[in-house]
């Protein structure tokens, strides 16, 4: 999580046998963690591996996609600074719209994809390459590694 920017999502367990937190303790935890971002309470301890895979590792996935956009922009002839600014601005605007609209990402993507246009062609290319499936596999791999690390640490 990009700690220190006030955009983190902190997760904690509620109702777990491993962690019994009363309402007073929960309020204190929310106040502390909430100072850095959103607090998401997880009902089941076993879900923390998924949280780690999505939110803990997620910033790296976003940076990876930004790297790819920047590389493509440079390969298409744009200067490095322009490539960087365009990639960051694109992500910032898309994330802001997704956060504010309340609509599912599929709907938002559909709205910005013109039939027969450039975006449609790019998305078709990604579908052929099974990019979405690759992302899902990567997140599953991160969750599996999180479980492995938990098992290793739990042996002591």
């Amino acid at each position: 999580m990009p700690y220190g920017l006030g955009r983190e999502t902190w997760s904690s367990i509620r109702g777990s046998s491993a962690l019994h937190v009363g309402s007073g303790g929960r309020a204190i935890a929310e106040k502390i963690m909430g100072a850095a971002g959103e607090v998401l309470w997880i009902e089941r301890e076993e879900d923390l591996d998924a949280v780690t895979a999505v939110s803990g590792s997620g910033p790296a996935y976003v940076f990876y996609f930004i790297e790819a956009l920047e590389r493509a922009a440079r390969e298409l002839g744009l200067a490095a600074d322009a490539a960087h600014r365009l990639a960051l601005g694109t992500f910032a605007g898309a994330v802001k719209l997704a956060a504010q609209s309340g609509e599912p990402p599929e709907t938002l993507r559909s709205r910005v994809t013109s039939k027969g246009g450039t975006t449609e062609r790019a998305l078709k290319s990604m579908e052929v390459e099974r990019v979405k499936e690759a992302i899902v596999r990567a997140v599953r791999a991160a969750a599996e590694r999180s479980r492995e690390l938990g098992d290793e640490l739990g042996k002591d």
Side-chain angles (χ1 to χ4, degrees):
M1 289 173 256
Y3 180 75
L5 298 177
R7 301 253 188 259
E8 300 76 27
T9 298
W10 293 92
S11 301
S12 189
I13 308 162
R14 175 176 57 204
S16 169
S17 60
L19 182 63
H20 295 285
V21 178
S23 60
R26 182 176 172 174
I28 291 169
E30 284 186 10
K31 185 172 184 174
I32 292 168
M33 293 184 296
E38 180 182 354
V39 177
L40 174 66
W41 288 90
I42 303 300
E43 298 293 331
R44 303 175 320 149
E45 187 172 1
E46 58 268 22
D47 290 342
L48 286 177
D49 295 318
V51 170
T52 297
V54 173
S55 184
S57 298
Y61 313 149
V62 172
F63 299 145
Y64 190 79
F65 201 91
I66 290 170
E67 287 175 52
L69 280 178
E70 287 184 14
R71 177 179 164 186
R74 287 190 313 272
E75 288 180 6
L76 290 169
L78 293 178
D81 181 62
H84 182 70
R85 291 174 55 197
L86 286 169
L88 291 181
T90 298
F91 255 87
V95 167
K96 186 174 181 178
L97 178 60
Q100 292 177 351
S101 76
E103 295 185 289
E106 297 84 1
T107 300
L108 297 172
R109 178 179 40 81
S110 177
R111 285 196 183 143
V112 298
T113 305
S114 301
K115 187 87 169 143
T118 59
T119 305
E120 183 181 62
R121 174 141 334 151
L123 292 172
K124 282 183 180 180
S125 174
M126 288 185 202
E127 287 297 320
V128 167
E129 296 296 330
R130 302 181 59 105
V131 171
K132 192 179 292 187
E133 289 82 358
I135 293 168
V136 171
R137 284 192 309 274
V139 174
R140 287 180 185 272
E144 181 180 334
R145 183 60 180 146
S146 178
R147 275 189 296 281
E148 292 168 357
L149 290 170
D151 290 345
E152 289 173 21
L153 293 173
K155 288 180 182 177
D156 296 334

